[in-house]
Amino acid sequence: MREGVALKNPPDCPKSWHFVAESKSIKKDKPYLFELFGEEFILFRDENNKISAVSPRCAHLGACFSTGYIKEGKLVCPFHAWKYAANGECVELPSGAPIPKSAKLKSYPVHEQWGLVFLFNDEVAAFDFPFFDDFQNREVIRSKCYEVYQEGVWYTVPSNAFDSEHFIHVHNRYPTKEPVIAIKSPHLAHIKYQYEIKGKIWSDRLMCILFGNVAELDFSNWAGNLILATTKVGPFQNKMLIFLRPLTMTTSVSQIFVFRKKQGLLGKMLCEFQAKASQLFFAKEARELKKADIINGNFTASDKNLVTYLKWLGDAS
């Protein structure tokens, strides 16, 4: 029984921005098929080299565009060569017949930056693609994508940021102040921590030796699955962009990128080191929290921030 707490189930897959692939994976002459929790999308480059995303099957007889091709920036069906523009409208039939008014594909918002491609899995984006305020309009470098697979529903991992007790028992991070939670919009939940690091793993030991053991965590969660997290330990900063992608009803993957100000080869090496350390941090969490059922838990007074977050997540869906 959940004492006095009524929670809605979060969506199986949130309407949000999702990481698709590196930009170089989407060629000028070939459609790119992206699958997200059983839903398929086709991405392609138009005549201006801009990436567009549309529904995956031709409005004619339902052939999949994944085996089609791109000609002069238009998406061409492999079955009867119907051509589609970036907005999903059919613009040419090879027979010369009139184009049916219903010959239109759904189109989806796409964001391309830092050599990465992101897609919003709804026809209108509910919010702009977010990024760190202090990194806006600055030259930055990023790590490659580091992944952590976990058993359990997709929203378990991002929910953990709002569970201060788990920081103590899983990660040996002890809050020194009451964490401050703020529901800033239907799409954004935020929490900020100050804590003392008492971990014994090599990365924690090294961090404490170099920068001290007092840290801050600033955590912004967009739509449940997109996370902007900044950790500060002395002068050291770790900025992570994380995506939670549901794979099945009971499995998911965390996709982790670390960003730094552009600093040459040393900066790039530090960026990859930080990303690898972050991957190890989340891998430990995945092992500890396998198949956790947080929605159907018994909540206590110490879970108040977690309950606030879960209520927001259910309402946001």
Side-chain angles (χ1 to χ4, degrees):
M1 295 290 292
R2 293 173 291 169
E3 299 179 8
V5 177
L7 296 176
K8 299 177 184 177
N9 285 320
D12 295 336
C13 184
K15 298 296 185 184
S16 181
W17 292 100
H18 298 267
F19 170 59
V20 176
E22 291 191 347
S23 296
K24 63 184 180 182
S25 298
I26 301 176
K27 312 296 185 183
K28 291 184 178 181
D29 59 347
K30 187 177 180 180
Y32 183 93
L33 179 66
F34 173 60
E35 184 175 346
L36 178 65
F37 201 72
E39 187 174 6
E40 295 180 334
F41 306 85
I42 288 290
L43 291 90
F44 68 100
R45 294 188 180 274
D46 66 14
E47 61 272 21
N48 298 314
N49 206 36
K50 184 178 179 181
I51 298 175
S52 298
V54 295
S55 47
R57 296 190 175 274
C58 182
H60 181 205
L61 297 180
C64 185
F65 292 112
S66 61
T67 56
Y69 58 97
I70 311 301
K71 185 175 181 180
E72 298 175 346
K74 303 296 188 292
L75 177 64
V76 185
C77 176
F79 203 15
H80 296 96
W82 285 28
K83 290 183 181 178
Y84 294 84
N87 63 359
E89 290 187 3
C90 183
V91 294
E92 183 182 331
L93 306 185
S95 65
I99 299 172
K101 291 182 179 179
S102 59
K104 182 174 173 59
L105 311 172
K106 290 182 179 180
S107 61
Y108 301 90
V110 172
H111 182 81
E112 183 180 13
Q113 197 171 3
W114 318 295
L116 303 172
V117 180
F118 312 93
L119 174 142
F120 199 99
N121 59 328
D122 206 355
E123 292 181 76
V124 177
F127 53 92
D128 293 336
F129 189 90
F131 197 53
F132 303 100
D133 289 340
D134 55 341
F135 271 23
Q136 296 284 2
N137 303 316
R138 302 191 71 160
E139 284 193 277
V140 298
I141 55 174
R142 64 162 176 86
S143 70
K144 65 181 182 181
C145 180
Y146 287 79
E147 295 186 329
V148 176
Y149 290 84
Q150 50 258 338
E151 293 184 62
V153 291
W154 67 268
Y155 50 82
T156 298
V157 172
S159 298
N160 290 335
F162 297 85
D163 177 7
S164 57
E165 291 285 307
H166 115 278
F167 276 107
I168 296 171
H169 301 293
V170 177
H171 300 297
N172 292 298
R173 277 144 172 78
Y174 290 76
T176 56
K177 289 185 178 180
E178 181 70 18
V180 179
I181 185 172
I183 303 301
K184 295 193 172 184
S185 82
H187 313 295
L188 174 59
H190 176 267
I191 194 165
K192 191 169 185 177
Y193 286 91
Q194 288 187 5
Y195 54 79
E196 185 178 354
I197 301 172
K198 296 184 179 181
K200 302 301 182 184
I201 61 175
W202 68 267
S203 54
D204 282 354
R205 287 176 178 270
L206 181 61
M207 184 77 68
C208 292
I209 291 170
L210 293 176
F211 305 113
N213 66 343
V214 178
E216 294 182 0
L217 171 63
D218 189 279
F219 189 96
S220 294
N221 182 302
W222 291 85
N225 77 304
L226 193 166
I227 297 158
L228 293 173
T230 300
T231 302
K232 295 181 181 179
V233 186
F236 174 82
Q237 283 194 27
N238 188 34
K239 288 185 175 288
M240 292 182 291
L241 172 62
I242 306 170
F243 295 87
L244 272 297
R245 179 185 294 182
L247 300 175
T248 68
M249 293 296 290
T250 57
T251 59
S252 60
V253 59
S254 300
Q255 299 167 309
I256 305 162
F257 299 91
V258 166
F259 285 81
R260 291 180 60 89
K261 296 174 185 177
K262 198 169 185 179
Q263 293 174 313
L265 180 59
L266 178 60
K268 181 62 176 174
M269 292 172 63
L270 285 171
C271 199
E272 296 298 335
F273 174 80
Q274 290 172 230
K276 183 62 179 178
S278 300
Q279 182 190 42
L280 294 174
F281 181 93
F282 285 104
K284 181 179 187 299
E285 186 165 276
R287 291 192 300 270
E288 298 283 350
L289 303 176
K290 184 186 297 186
K291 297 183 179 179
D293 185 10
I294 58 174
I295 285 293
N296 294 306
N298 282 304
F299 299 104
T300 67
S302 64
D303 298 317
K304 62 180 181 180
N305 286 336
L306 176 60
V307 171
T308 297
Y309 169 77
L310 291 173
K311 285 182 176 179
W312 166 82
L313 184 60
D315 290 340
S317 64

